[in-house]
Amino acid sequence: MRDRFVNQALTKWMEGTGKESEIVISSRVRLARNLCDIPFPNVAAAEQTKAVVSQVEGAIKDAEIEQTSGELIFVNLEELEPLDRLVLVDKHLISPQHAEEAAGKGLILRADEAVSVLINEEDHLRIQCLFPGLQLEEAWDLASRIDDLLESKLDFAFDEKLGYLTACPTNVGTGLRASVMMHLPALVLTNQASRVLASLSQIGMTVRGLYGEGTDATGNLFQISNQVTLGRSEEEIISNLVVVATQLIDHERMARQVLLKETKPQLEDRVCRAYGTLTSARIINSQEAMTLLSNVRLGIDLGIIQGVSPQVLNEMLVLTRPAFLQKLAGRELSPFERDVQRASLIRERFSLDG
Amino acid sequence: MFCDECKKRPATVHVTKIVNGQKSEVNLCEECARAHHKEWSMAYDDNFPINKFLAGLLGFDTGKTASSVNLNLHAPGKCEHCGANYNQISQTGRLGCHQCYDRFQDKVEPLLRRVQGSNRHTGKVPKRSGGSIRLQREIQNLRARLQQHVSNEEFEQAARLRDQIRELEKGMAE
């Protein structure tokens, strides 16, 4: 089972199901929790870190938890190859920080990878639920139930006034970070994206690229999350984000209709050229692949391209990442070799549908 | 506007120097600015890591005057529970343990108000360890709803909530 997590690219959030899956790729809810009486991971001594792993591992082996969340598998990150850890990052199952230094770190995963618990990342526990489409309420509901069951066995650091205490003051309170990954090509094409997205920061939302802090929005993919974790209830945070996502969906839909109406030949040209390149290229770098895949996905959504499944974009997000390409090849690849491998993989994937 | 240095790329970094009242301006592109970075000893990073930013806020918490900055340096102390000291925390932007929140309260509180806009949790309370807090929270919520009903002149619902609150308060007293 453990091998599956690193050998298979497909994961729950890529399914392309869920509400508004045309525009919302995935919804994620993360809860930060810490055990009482043990220092946070950045300060904890090695044996304290170990104690956290074994306490959490013990708590998770519980019939009631498995009934709620489904069967959970414990993975000791120290036992994974560095490349395998990078694959988990590409699949959005762990953070880059969690992969970098594996000592004393653990991970708990459900078979379909929609539930994961990171042990000893920045906080002792990070409970994550990652669903396809716009399913923030569902993700929050499940994360909260898993949190309840863990809390029945573990003592969490909680302060009456400040709420759940976390290593970084930006997470204190609810410890909740909710995010949606959205594909907004028409907003970018009509030059509205930067304006619309910049305004989100004024209402307490953060916009990031695909792989978190400091990354670019390649492939017209944007990750939108709540900035504030204290002073608002979890339900407020979730419903605010749902409202924002719904508005962005409306804007994106409108922009798509405008493009179709006013610049149809240009749009079709862009989409079909992208399709042509992806199905013929022999060498392609990750940036170009993402841009073209985004165009093709837009073409699929608007009915310009038929017979290709919309999940292609979601799958390729992970499949064409350096770590996964090397995993597939079974060895380290130079950047050039990766570009060749990536092009061939994309051609193969399109020929399956086409 | 082009970069003063290479005269090729557009200038995106603008530096104003005032030395002995003499003002001079330099306009550079990112690349040339990076090359100058050491010379001016200014923080010019590719990324903008949030913890560094927070650490900055923690370090210059109490004011702008030199004397209060000095006070900061002399006051730090240590958390008895985890051993983390204030310098460490202000460098990493991360606290050492849950008791650090208490120990460094005077520093953390203003920071929270700045980055979170609030210093009071209103969300979920753990079931087991938060027993009485949970009840209090519930009573607070009911009171707020009661107020709403009263101002809407929905007295029947208000009366029902009042009874519910009394019931809970009895539970608290026991």
Side-chain angles (χ1 to χ4, degrees):
Chain A
M1 180 55 85
R2 207 186 74 189
D3 292 343
R4 183 191 169 281
F5 297 135
V6 290
N7 287 328
Q8 204 177 322
L10 296 185
T11 180
K12 176 81 179 173
W13 64 263
M14 288 178 205
E15 268 176 8
T17 54
K19 278 176 287 180
E20 312 286 0
S21 59
E22 215 175 275
I23 291 164
V24 182
I25 307 289
S26 64
S27 302
R28 181 209 309 258
V29 160
R30 183 218 73 196
L31 294 174
R33 299 289 184 257
N34 285 284
L35 302 183
C36 249
D37 297 324
I38 299 180
F40 299 144
N42 60 322
V43 167
E47 66 270 25
Q48 290 173 312
T49 313
K50 254 190 210 147
V52 174
V53 174
S54 65
Q55 276 194 48
V56 176
E57 200 190 346
I60 219 101
K61 280 190 192 121
D62 177 86
E64 225 186 320
I65 292 188
E66 299 224 319
Q67 247 174 30
T68 303
S69 64
E71 194 199 348
L72 297 170
I73 297 120
F74 175 80
V75 182
N76 186 343
L77 284 197
E78 286 173 51
E79 290 166 15
L80 293 183
E81 298 290 321
L83 181 61
D84 290 350
R85 300 204 292 267
L86 288 180
V87 169
L88 295 178
V89 174
D90 286 350
K91 290 169 91 172
H92 297 250
L93 297 178
I94 65 175
S95 61
Q97 300 95 286
H98 207 54
E100 214 168 277
E101 182 54 62
K105 286 176 181 164
L107 172 69
I108 289 160
L109 279 172
R110 184 166 91 177
D112 69 351
E113 300 167 5
V115 176
S116 60
V117 181
L118 280 63
I119 309 172
N120 286 330
E121 200 225 30
E122 189 181 291
D123 294 297
H124 292 151
L125 278 122
R126 291 262 169 115
I127 305 162
Q128 289 198 132
C129 290
L130 181 54
F131 285 6
L134 183 59
Q135 299 196 69
L136 281 170
E137 282 110 343
E138 291 83 349
W140 154 243
D141 187 56
L142 181 57
S144 179
R145 280 189 290 143
I146 294 171
D147 173 43
D148 287 342
L149 289 165
L150 286 173
E151 197 262 332
S152 70
K153 302 207 152 21
L154 303 166
D155 286 321
F156 287 157
F158 183 85
D159 177 79
E160 193 179 331
K161 193 173 160 219
L162 294 179
Y164 293 95
L165 301 177
T166 53
C168 186
T170 50
N171 294 314
V172 81
T174 56
L176 168 69
R177 189 84 57 208
S179 69
V180 280
M181 186 173 27
M182 302 185 76
H183 182 225
L184 305 171
L187 283 185
V188 174
L189 274 176
T190 53
N191 292 323
Q192 297 179 73
S194 53
R195 209 186 58 229
V196 171
L197 296 172
S199 69
L200 292 183
S201 68
Q202 285 159 21
I203 52 168
M205 300 285 166
T206 310
V207 182
R208 295 194 181 125
L210 182 53
Y211 283 87
E213 236 166 86
T215 59
D216 291 337
T218 36
N220 301 319
L221 289 160
F222 298 90
Q223 200 175 267
I224 296 137
S225 60
N226 63 304
Q227 197 161 28
V228 168
T229 56
L230 183 65
R232 288 179 200 175
S233 73
E234 289 83 354
E235 286 76 14
E236 279 174 272
I237 293 171
I238 298 282
S239 73
N240 283 349
L241 188 54
V242 171
V243 168
V244 166
T246 312
Q247 292 221 347
L248 285 173
I249 292 167
D250 288 346
H251 275 292
E252 170 68 20
R253 288 234 166 89
M254 263 187 308
R256 288 181 183 192
Q257 288 317 311
V258 169
L259 285 176
L260 258 189
K261 211 171 122 208
E262 286 171 15
T263 55
K264 197 172 184 204
Q266 291 96 318
L267 185 66
E268 283 176 335
D269 181 67
R270 177 184 282 268
V271 165
C272 296
R273 274 171 187 271
Y275 183 78
T277 307
L278 286 174
T279 47
S280 330
R282 293 312 196 251
I283 305 166
I284 196 164
N285 68 30
S286 150
Q287 181 80 34
E288 186 186 6
M290 291 296 300
T291 308
L292 297 177
L293 283 163
S294 165
N295 287 334
V296 166
R297 173 69 197 257
L298 178 64
I300 297 168
D301 290 343
L302 294 176
I304 298 169
I305 293 178
Q306 272 154 9
V308 183
S309 69
Q311 293 99 281
V312 157
L313 173 73
N314 312 10
E315 290 170 24
M316 289 295 161
L317 280 181
V318 171
L319 272 168
T320 61
R321 298 278 301 171
F324 207 86
L325 288 174
Q326 299 186 62
K327 186 74 201 166
L328 274 182
R331 67 188 173 90
E332 208 174 300
L333 300 172
S334 70
F336 174 75
E337 287 174 311
R338 292 206 292 262
D339 291 352
V340 172
Q341 181 94 0
R342 182 178 296 114
S344 114
L345 197 77
I346 291 172
R347 287 200 313 277
E348 205 179 310
R349 177 64 185 84
F350 273 101
S351 71
L352 283 179
D353 277 350
Chain B
M1 186 194 291
F2 286 100
C3 171
D4 293 345
E5 194 80 20
C6 63
K7 302 197 164 50
K8 274 185 243 154
R9 290 174 289 264
T12 51
V13 178
H14 310 279
V15 183
T16 308
K17 277 197 274 194
I18 302 174
V19 181
N20 298 330
Q22 283 284 341
K23 194 169 134 185
S24 63
E25 275 178 41
V26 194
N27 304 296
L28 299 172
C29 65
E30 284 201 27
E31 220 161 286
C32 297
R34 206 169 282 129
H36 273 284
H37 153 209
K38 278 208 188 85
E39 188 182 318
W40 296 324
S41 70
M42 63 176 209
Y44 189 77
D45 282 334
D46 277 336
N47 294 320
F48 185 68
I50 184 78
N51 54 329
K52 265 196 198 157
F53 178 65
L54 285 174
L57 286 175
L58 273 164
F60 295 97
D61 235 23
T62 42
K64 298 163 196 89
T65 60
S67 63
S68 68
V69 173
N70 279 335
L71 268 182
N72 270 349
L73 290 174
H74 289 299
K78 212 171 168 185
C79 170
E80 292 74 21
H81 183 248
C82 68
N85 62 40
Y86 188 69
N87 280 343
Q88 220 173 314
I89 292 170
S90 62
Q91 264 162 33
T92 59
R94 294 198 169 79
L95 288 100
C97 71
H98 65 289
Q99 290 189 1
C100 286
Y101 277 93
D102 214 32
R103 176 66 183 78
F104 303 110
Q105 195 187 3
D106 54 328
K107 308 279 184 196
V108 175
E109 283 263 326
L111 171 75
L112 286 178
R113 245 173 284 136
R114 214 166 309 163
V115 296
Q116 298 272 14
S118 162
N119 57 358
R120 190 161 283 278
H121 177 58
T122 54
K124 186 170 176 174
V125 174
K127 279 203 180 94
R128 203 165 43 88
S129 43
S132 74
I133 309 170
R134 219 180 157 80
L135 266 173
Q136 278 172 24
R137 246 335 117 73
E138 202 174 335
I139 293 172
Q140 265 170 25
N141 284 341
L142 288 175
R143 281 218 184 98
R145 273 171 56 201
L146 177 79
Q147 275 306 320
Q148 194 121 45
H149 283 309
V150 170
S151 56
N152 293 346
E153 300 187 12
E154 295 156 347
F155 297 113
E156 234 171 89
Q157 285 103 316
R160 219 177 304 139
L161 283 177
R162 184 201 54 210
D163 294 343
Q164 233 176 309
I165 292 169
R166 280 201 189 137
E167 220 26 61
L168 286 174
E169 278 172 339
K170 235 192 280 170
M172 287 267 300
E174 274 161 17

